[in-house]
Amino acid sequence: MYTSRQLQIPLLHIFLMLCVLALLVAPPAMAKPRGGNWFDDRAAARGGSPSIRIDLSEQRAYLYKGGKLVGVSRVSSGKRGYGTRPGHFRVLSKHPYHRSSIYGSFVDRRTGRVVRSNVNTRKHRRPAGTVYRGAKMNNYIRFNGGIGLHASGHVPRYPASHGCVRMPPHMARKFYRHVRVGTPVRVTH
């Protein structure tokens, strides 16, 4: 005859084994870190039509393949006066090494030294002896006029861009790799 103490130990082992098993078979989306970036390379490689959802209130972008969530990235969208417009769009073009035609720096023509940074070509005059160098926007996924997703070294957790959607470089590379021209992009609040 077993005592109640002897029965408790096997039940505890069974419970712990079931918990471990549940973690092992849980879908990768459930394992994504809260507040961080997450990407399931294996699920993304399996195929299916891609789609992107950008949630402006959360400052996150979601990548789906065949309707299944395969990646989440924190983003920084357009700041006040340069807001990223909500709506339904499609990827219009992709450029791996894009540079802005509006925002960047004036650099000395001979030395390459930055003479004036944070310029807006629509507002600022180019000083004599300088050339304009647009800000880097690598892995640029254009979806609404000149607005797109792109890599940036500055991705605060609040809207801070001139309308584009900034992403950490490693996440911008993953999204760029898995979308194509025509991919649906939905921007929501």
Side-chain angles (χ1 to χ4, degrees):
M1 193 96 189
Y2 290 105
T3 66
S4 65
R5 174 87 175 130
Q6 290 171 319
L7 284 175
Q8 286 176 345
I9 292 173
L11 289 176
L12 178 62
H13 287 158
I14 291 169
F15 175 74
L16 290 174
M17 287 180 7
L18 288 173
C19 289
V20 169
L21 183 62
L23 286 173
L24 290 175
V25 299
M30 294 186 66
K32 69 179 179 270
R34 204 180 162 123
N37 301 313
W38 165 85
F39 202 88
D40 185 344
D41 290 295
R42 285 193 346 221
R46 285 192 199 114
S49 296
S51 65
I52 296 172
R53 183 173 65 87
I54 300 165
D55 188 315
L56 300 174
S57 64
E58 292 180 2
Q59 292 294 287
R60 292 193 192 290
Y62 299 86
L63 178 64
Y64 298 86
K65 290 289 283 289
K68 179 180 179 185
L69 181 65
V70 298
V72 180
S73 177
R74 68 184 171 87
V75 300
S76 183
S77 61
K79 61 188 172 184
R80 184 182 303 266
Y82 298 93
T84 307
R85 186 168 62 91
H88 295 269
F89 310 98
R90 291 203 174 269
V91 171
L92 301 170
S93 63
K94 294 172 52 178
H95 305 278
Y97 302 107
H98 185 71
R99 284 191 177 263
S100 175
S101 59
I102 302 170
Y103 304 102
S105 301
F106 292 130
V107 298
D108 185 279
R109 184 182 315 265
R110 289 178 287 122
T111 66
R113 179 182 60 83
V114 175
V115 173
R116 184 171 183 184
S117 62
N118 298 317
V119 300
N120 176 337
T121 58
R122 295 174 178 162
K123 295 179 181 177
H124 302 108
R125 291 188 144 197
R126 185 175 56 82
T130 67
V131 294
Y132 170 74
R133 182 182 301 147
K136 287 183 179 181
M137 300 166 67
N138 292 341
N139 297 302
Y140 181 60
I141 303 168
R142 186 169 66 94
F143 62 85
N144 178 18
I147 304 297
L149 291 145
H150 66 81
S152 176
H154 181 63
V155 186
R157 297 183 189 281
Y158 54 85
S161 80
H162 290 104
C164 279
V165 180
R166 299 175 185 171
M167 303 176 77
H170 70 287
M171 295 305 291
R173 279 190 301 274
K174 289 178 181 292
F175 275 57
Y176 186 89
R177 184 181 323 134
H178 291 284
V179 302
R180 58 185 175 261
V181 172
T183 296
V185 178
R186 186 167 49 112
V187 181
T188 63
H189 274 292

